[in-house]
Amino acid sequence: MYLLPQNAKKMLSISRDELPFWTQKRDSLAGAHLLSKYQHDWQDIHTLTEQNVTHAKAIDFQIEEVNRCFKLHWHAVKRFSSDVKNLNAILTHTEKALNEIGNIRTLIDEVFYLIVEVEDLIEENRLTNAMSNAKDKLLCHHENKLLSVDALKEKLAEDYKIRLKVIDEEKDQLKKKSFQMAEKKFLEDINAYKESGMLPKRKKADEQLLKIEDIEIEQDLSILQQYLDD
């Protein structure tokens, strides 16, 4: 149902006699034109109303977005205010963290120096072990050399004893031979003395044959006693 404006009602209430001349000719189409006009106007109003509704929805959406952004900014401001309040605590914790970092750096330096000392001790221990091994090898070599020297000394002593024994045997044989020759010469002298009553003169070669200190008198003196008895 369409509602006509008040002007339209007033115009419809005018009699045909009161209408101008030019309107009387078109009296048959006036109602149709008027109705068509108001229908178009109403359609335009309806279209504008729908557009206003669309714009109102868009404005409402924009208002909601503005409200949402305002809330976000408000929460950000509140969080910023809280962060500003906690700034002193953050600075304190940051200072503590820096101090802890300094302590950790000091500990790292101490650990580094300890590692260097441990490496030095390991190297010193390795060198000590190497020197000890070299010393043990040297002592073992020295002992082996001493054993070799002792064995050589024993061998030389044994060889010296053997040579002394050979020399003693040669001396004994020489003394025995000299004694036999002296005994033979002595018997000849005794026999010559018995026959002539005088001792024969010795030659220089016979005197050098055997010295008196080289003569060893044996325990068996029977031969000498026999010649003395004769």
Side-chain angles (χ1 to χ4, degrees), residues 124-152:
E124 184 178 356
N125 190 17
R126 187 182 67 81
L127 292 175
T128 303
N129 291 330
M131 291 177 65
S132 179
N133 293 330
K135 186 177 180 181
D136 293 337
K137 290 181 180 179
L138 183 61
L139 289 175
C140 183
H141 181 71
H142 182 67
E143 290 178 357
N144 292 330
K145 287 295 182 181
L146 289 177
L147 292 175
S148 300
V149 170
D150 292 337
L152 182 61

Side-chain angles (χ1 to χ4, degrees), residues 67-81:
N67 188 19
R68 187 179 63 83
C69 292
F70 176 76
K71 288 181 179 180
L72 290 175
H73 287 294
W74 176 250
H75 289 300
V77 169
K78 288 178 68 176
R79 187 167 59 251
F80 178 75
S81 178

